[in-house]
Amino acid sequence: MKTTIGFIGLGNMGTPIAKNLLAAGYQLQVYNRTLAKIDELGTEGVTRCQSPAEAANSVPFVISMLSDDTVLRESVTGDGGILKTLQPNAVHISMSTISPDTAEELAALHEQAGNRYLASPVFGRPEAADARKLWICISGDEQTKADARPILDCLGQAVIDFGDKTAGANVVKIAGNFMIMASMEMMAEAYTLAEKNGLDRVQVSEFFGSTLFAAPIFQNYGKAIANKQYQPVGFKSKLGYKDARLAFKLSQTSEMPMPTVNTVHNRLLTAVAKGWGEADWVEGVSRGVSEDAGL
Amino acid sequence: MKTTIGFIGLGNMGTPIAKNLLAAGYQLQVYNRTLAKIDELGTEGVTRCQSPAEAANSVPFVISMLSDDTVLRESVTGDGGILKTLQPNAVHISMSTISPDTAEELAALHEQAGNRYLASPVFGRPEAADARKLWICISGDEQTKADARPILDCLGQAVIDFGDKTAGANVVKIAGNFMIMASMEMMAEAYTLAEKNGLDRVQVSEFFGSTLFAAPIFQNYGKAIANKQYQPVGFKSKLGYKDARLAFKLSQTSEMPMPTVNTVHNRLLTAVAKGWGEADWVEGVSRGVSEDAGL
């Protein structure tokens, strides 16, 4: 029988990740704020828990995949938090997209408690998580990375080691989500410019997506933007806005002027202000560009 | 013996294009402001001309590849311009990156003169022109596009037809160069953010260039930006600035708010103001981002 792992957070990303761990033969102690979500995992190998502390009890690894810094911090340090039960030397594999500051703060708390924290944010939408096609970014202590590796290898197409800084992988994740948002913004601007000049925005998108910009981001998001096709919702605008804020804050704390961050931050803030927080972030960006242009 | 073609403009792009026409068996009547550049083409099949008018005399096609709207307009309408000699029904294949307004103005003048204008801007650096790997964008009258097609097929890996608007292809070219500049800006911002946080910017660039952003722009320009390696100069910052101005102007005339255009326009304007006009546009963008960050 394989190791038992604690698992916290069954959102769009956490659920397929948990299913893949079960498929790989791991036993899971699962906590989710909405307990009914746990039923989706079935009963085989699953123990339902009432708190993060219960999920983290007596396991060598606990994985968290939560929506933001605040929820993660509460899950670690709160009354029912991971730190209440996590055993000595156990590893908290932290997959959420959070600020490097929070990662460093939590890593220090884990160290004080005699256990370990590993930054492991991922790239990929829910379909990619489901198909074990995630790119998993890690950084920090060598032994901790080596210990977590067999678990991470079950979940993605590659695990990339960004060195020994505790929060290095978080910086990469924020930089990447910034680049995705900036790409959506530039495509929406360019294709709407084409539309306003009487061109077929789908043809223009297909041209760039098959030549200079022949990459997944420009093909998949490009198709949605060109066709103004924003269903199904894969990643909400309000979460995109959260990531834009992380990038904005990191540019400030790093003393790194990033005019393009200002643009995408304002775009997602506007989307949320207009009431599109639950819409896909592609809609948040693309519809905003079109509305600004009077379309 | 194949057709004789007029050819105007032996810059970084024009020279390899002219060589490929000669290699395909065409005879060329060539004009270049600096006449000595014509010697680089050899003597076989080449007639040296003293003016655009002389190059355009008695040929069914004249190709122009010039640096900007002003030079092109002078080459068409000036005392020694193409319109002085171009025969009825002959086609001016206009490959320069220019504003749609200029394209429409020149197309109207050609029509009044009883001959034809074809917008044919290209994507690709000089190496791509040399290797016949250009992407050639065309738009306008169907018969004119069909007549020019055999010549264009000698010069690129694909000819893409963007419909019947006279200047449609010019809009696509401006949109594409905007997207390239915006990509350089976003990479420079993201990789410098990584650098300031103690990460290896080359590793970060290689990660994105081989995963989410696995496209030529992010691989080739990304490598130069990550390594701060700006030689050799393929496309000058002052020409990038010209293209940023074209995008800026087109956003105004199209009533199309484009915040990312504002950013790249300011970036290239700053590069020129700092005296980097002759440096590669990758340097103009990337060095500007680094200097703003105090690096």
Side-chain angles (χ1 to χ4, degrees):
Chain A
M1 200 173 78
K2 271 203 174 174
T3 316
T4 298
I5 300 175
F7 198 96
I8 298 165
L10 294 177
N12 281 352
M13 294 296 290
T15 299
I17 289 172
K19 285 180 179 170
N20 283 327
L21 289 168
L22 290 167
Y26 288 102
Q27 314 278 315
L28 298 186
Q29 298 183 168
V30 185
Y31 170 73
N32 188 61
R33 195 175 45 183
T34 307
L35 290 171
K37 286 276 286 178
I38 302 176
D39 297 339
E40 287 180 27
L41 300 180
T43 52
E44 185 71 28
V46 176
T47 305
R48 288 170 63 118
C49 299
Q50 303 295 319
S51 67
E54 196 179 326
N57 193 25
S58 305
V59 292
F61 298 96
V62 58
I63 295 175
S64 62
M65 180 52 114
L66 298 162
S67 58
D68 62 27
D69 291 47
T70 305
V71 176
L72 175 63
R73 188 181 285 107
E74 175 67 19
S75 300
V76 174
T77 66
D79 285 342
I82 291 172
L83 287 177
K84 287 282 187 291
T85 55
L86 196 63
Q87 66 191 17
N89 213 35
V91 180
H92 174 190
I93 299 174
S94 177
M95 306 187 98
S96 313
T97 299
I98 56 164
S99 77
D101 285 352
T102 298
E104 285 168 7
E105 172 197 331
L106 296 179
L109 291 172
H110 275 284
E111 191 174 356
Q112 284 165 28
N115 44 51
R116 300 178 286 167
Y117 178 92
L118 181 65
S120 314
V122 304
F123 285 100
R125 307 229 327 172
E127 313 85 78
D130 186 57
R132 301 173 54 198
K133 290 278 177 82
L134 295 172
W135 288 289
I136 302 171
C137 300
I138 58 174
S139 60
D141 172 65
E142 292 301 327
Q143 187 61 52
T144 307
K145 287 185 286 196
D147 291 347
R149 193 67 184 246
I151 295 172
L152 298 176
D153 283 338
C154 297
L155 302 175
Q157 60 180 297
V159 178
I160 307 97
D161 183 349
F162 285 100
D164 59 5
K165 302 246 178 234
T166 301
N170 300 102
V171 173
V172 174
K173 174 60 181 168
I174 290 170
N177 274 23
F178 153 64
M179 286 175 65
I180 295 170
M181 287 186 275
S183 298
M184 293 194 293
E185 172 73 25
M186 90 162 77
M187 284 189 279
E189 292 183 20
Y191 303 162
T192 309
L193 178 73
E195 177 186 356
K196 285 208 120 182
N197 283 278
L199 289 156
D200 175 357
R201 60 191 272 150
V202 175
Q203 187 197 9
V204 172
S205 163
E206 287 173 351
F207 168 59
F208 288 121
S210 62
T211 56
L212 305 166
F213 293 90
I217 292 297
F218 290 87
Q219 289 159 350
N220 303 338
Y221 289 108
K223 189 175 177 183
I225 290 167
N227 289 287
K228 303 180 185 177
Q229 207 332 96
Y230 310 127
Q231 300 293 334
V233 175
F235 189 69
K236 294 176 180 176
S237 290
K238 68 180 184 185
L239 292 174
Y241 170 54
K242 181 209 75 171
D243 291 352
R245 281 167 60 193
L246 288 176
F248 202 99
K249 182 181 157 198
L250 184 56
S251 81
Q252 292 174 318
T253 55
S254 309
E255 294 184 353
M256 175 64 226
M258 299 176 73
T260 311
V261 167
N262 300 5
T263 297
V264 298
H265 177 272
N266 189 61
R267 180 69 67 201
L268 272 303
L269 174 57
T270 302
V272 171
K274 285 188 171 186
W276 309 338
E278 300 295 322
D280 195 277
W281 65 340
V282 175
E283 179 167 0
V285 172
S286 178
R287 192 173 159 192
V289 170
S290 288
E291 287 202 357
D292 280 0
L295 296 176
Chain B
M1 200 174 78
K2 271 203 174 175
T3 316
T4 298
I5 301 174
F7 198 95
I8 298 165
L10 294 177
N12 281 351
M13 294 296 290
T15 299
I17 290 171
K19 285 181 179 171
N20 282 327
L21 289 169
L22 291 167
Y26 289 101
Q27 314 277 317
L28 297 185
Q29 297 182 169
V30 185
Y31 171 74
N32 188 60
R33 194 176 46 183
T34 306
L35 289 171
K37 286 276 287 179
I38 302 176
D39 298 339
E40 287 182 27
L41 300 181
T43 52
E44 185 71 28
V46 177
T47 304
R48 288 170 64 117
C49 300
Q50 303 295 319
S51 68
E54 197 179 325
N57 194 24
S58 306
V59 292
F61 299 97
V62 58
I63 295 176
S64 61
M65 179 52 113
L66 297 161
S67 57
D68 63 26
D69 291 48
T70 305
V71 176
L72 176 63
R73 189 183 283 108
E74 175 66 19
S75 299
V76 173
T77 65
D79 285 342
I82 291 172
L83 286 176
K84 288 283 187 291
T85 55
L86 195 63
Q87 65 191 18
N89 212 35
V91 180
H92 175 190
I93 299 174
S94 177
M95 305 187 99
S96 312
T97 299
I98 56 163
S99 77
D101 285 352
T102 298
E104 284 168 7
E105 171 197 330
L106 296 180
L109 291 172
H110 276 284
E111 191 175 356
Q112 283 166 29
N115 44 52
R116 299 179 287 168
Y117 178 92
L118 182 65
S120 314
V122 304
F123 285 100
R125 309 232 320 174
E127 314 85 78
D130 186 56
R132 300 173 54 199
K133 290 280 177 82
L134 296 173
W135 287 290
I136 303 172
C137 300
I138 58 173
S139 60
D141 172 66
E142 292 301 327
Q143 187 60 51
T144 306
K145 288 185 286 196
D147 291 347
R149 193 66 185 247
I151 294 172
L152 298 175
D153 283 338
C154 297
L155 301 175
Q157 61 180 296
V159 177
I160 307 97
D161 183 349
F162 284 99
D164 58 7
K165 302 243 179 237
T166 300
N170 301 102
V171 173
V172 174
K173 173 60 182 170
I174 290 169
N177 274 22
F178 153 65
M179 286 174 65
I180 295 170
M181 286 186 276
S183 298
M184 293 194 294
E185 172 72 26
M186 90 163 75
M187 285 189 279
E189 290 183 20
Y191 302 162
T192 309
L193 177 73
E195 177 186 356
K196 285 208 120 183
N197 282 278
L199 290 156
D200 175 358
R201 58 190 273 151
V202 174
Q203 187 197 9
V204 173
S205 163
E206 286 173 353
F207 168 59
F208 288 121
S210 62
T211 56
L212 305 166
F213 293 90
I217 291 297
F218 289 86
Q219 290 160 348
N220 303 337
Y221 289 108
K223 188 174 178 183
I225 290 167
N227 288 287
K228 303 181 184 177
Q229 209 330 98
Y230 309 127
Q231 300 293 334
V233 175
F235 189 69
K236 294 177 179 174
S237 290
K238 68 180 184 186
L239 291 175
Y241 171 53
K242 181 208 75 170
D243 290 352
R245 281 167 60 195
L246 288 176
F248 202 100
K249 182 181 156 198
L250 184 56
S251 80
Q252 294 174 317
T253 55
S254 310
E255 292 183 356
M256 175 64 226
M258 299 175 75
T260 311
V261 166
N262 299 6
T263 297
V264 298
H265 176 272
N266 189 61
R267 181 68 66 201
L268 272 302
L269 173 58
T270 302
V272 170
K274 285 187 172 186
W276 309 339
E278 300 295 321
D280 195 276
W281 65 339
V282 175
E283 179 168 0
V285 172
S286 178
R287 193 173 158 193
V289 169
S290 287
E291 287 201 358
D292 280 0
L295 296 175

